[in-house]
């Protein structure tokens, strides 16, 4: 018990202090540059669609994107919904990411929600934010005609087969010549 009181508890306070310090400062409300950099603004010109289902790809065209920086697409509604998605493809004039799901906080069910979209670019101590595009609609995910659990079971069976085939205990033999 002494270990918990004298080692773990102070470590938790130190971790909390670092998280608080790390969370202060940084960020800009729109299009700005924090911490220097080349001053090039991030600009969203258009979205590939105005609404999409979760898991769909959303392409954002614009300018000022650095493919070598950490790029995040932020989906938010100004109330209680904020989700940051990593960019999966980037060039200087476009970024692509997956659309997140929206859950109704009261029911816990998937729901449709209109959100705003913004690109955040981090490179070292520099954080840039683009203009905000409003009115993007996250749809409910498509439903499957299959019974519940069928897709998950198929995925698990496939993963099990891959695990067995890639196991060091399982060896393929060459066909005799």
């Amino acid at each position: 018990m002494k270990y918990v009181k004298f080692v773990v508890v102070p470590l938790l306070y130190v971790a909390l202090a670092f998280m608080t310090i790390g969370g202060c400062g940084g960020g800009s409300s729109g299009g700005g540059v924090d911490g220097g950099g080349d001053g090039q603004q991030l600009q969203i010109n258009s979205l590939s669609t105005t609404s999409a289902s979760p898991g769909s790809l959303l392409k954002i065209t614009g300018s000022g994107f650095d493919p070598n920086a950490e790029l995040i697409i932020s989906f938010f509604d100004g109330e209680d919904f904020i989700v940051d998605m990593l960019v999966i493809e980037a060039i200087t004039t476009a970024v692509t990411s997956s659309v997140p799901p929206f859950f109704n906080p009261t029911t816990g069910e998937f729901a449709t929600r209109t959100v705003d979209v913004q690109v955040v670019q981090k490179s070292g101590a520099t954080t840039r934010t683009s203009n905000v595009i409003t009115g993007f609609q996250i749809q409910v995910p498509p439903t499957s005609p299959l019974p519940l659990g069928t897709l998950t079971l198929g995925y698990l069976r496939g993963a099990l087969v891959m695990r067995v085939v890639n196991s060091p205990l399982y060896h393929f033999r060459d066909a005799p010549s």
Side-chain angles (χ1 to χ4, degrees):
M1 192 58 146
K2 285 184 178 181
Y3 177 78
V4 171
K5 186 175 182 180
F6 294 109
V7 176
V8 175
V9 173
L11 286 175
L12 290 173
Y13 285 119
V14 170
L16 182 60
F18 278 114
M19 287 188 292
T20 303
I21 291 169
C24 293
S28 165
S29 62
V33 176
D34 296 334
D38 61 10
Q40 184 174 7
Q41 297 288 323
L42 294 183
Q43 178 69 36
I44 297 176
N45 295 332
S46 65
L47 304 178
S48 59
T49 184
T50 57
S51 67
S53 297
S56 300
L57 295 181
L58 176 65
K59 184 175 184 178
I60 298 174
T61 57
S63 60
F65 306 125
D66 179 0
N68 298 314
E70 177 186 355
L71 289 161
I72 297 167
I73 298 177
S74 185
F75 296 85
F76 56 96
D77 68 357
E79 294 174 23
D80 55 358
F81 181 77
I82 300 173
V83 175
D84 291 337
M85 300 293 289
L86 293 175
V87 167
I88 57 173
E89 184 179 21
I91 57 175
T92 58
T93 58
V95 293
T96 302
S97 183
S98 180
V99 174
F102 175 76
F103 296 96
N104 181 321
T106 306
T107 64
E109 308 234 346
F110 289 112
T112 299
R113 183 66 155 224
T114 300
V115 298
D116 300 334
V117 179
Q118 183 176 42
V119 176
V120 179
Q121 178 174 291
K122 297 178 182 179
S123 181
T126 303
T127 299
R128 293 185 174 95
T129 56
S130 71
N131 56 311
V132 176
I133 299 294
T134 60
F136 178 76
Q137 191 171 58
I138 298 175
Q139 300 290 333
V140 295
T143 57
S144 172
L146 301 173
L148 288 176
T150 303
L151 296 175
T152 303
L153 183 59
Y155 171 76
L156 292 174
R157 285 182 177 154
L160 181 60
V161 168
M162 288 178 59
R163 174 77 175 145
V164 170
V165 169
N166 293 323
S167 169
L169 301 175
Y170 188 84
H171 299 283
F172 287 103
R173 293 187 180 189
D174 292 331
S177 332

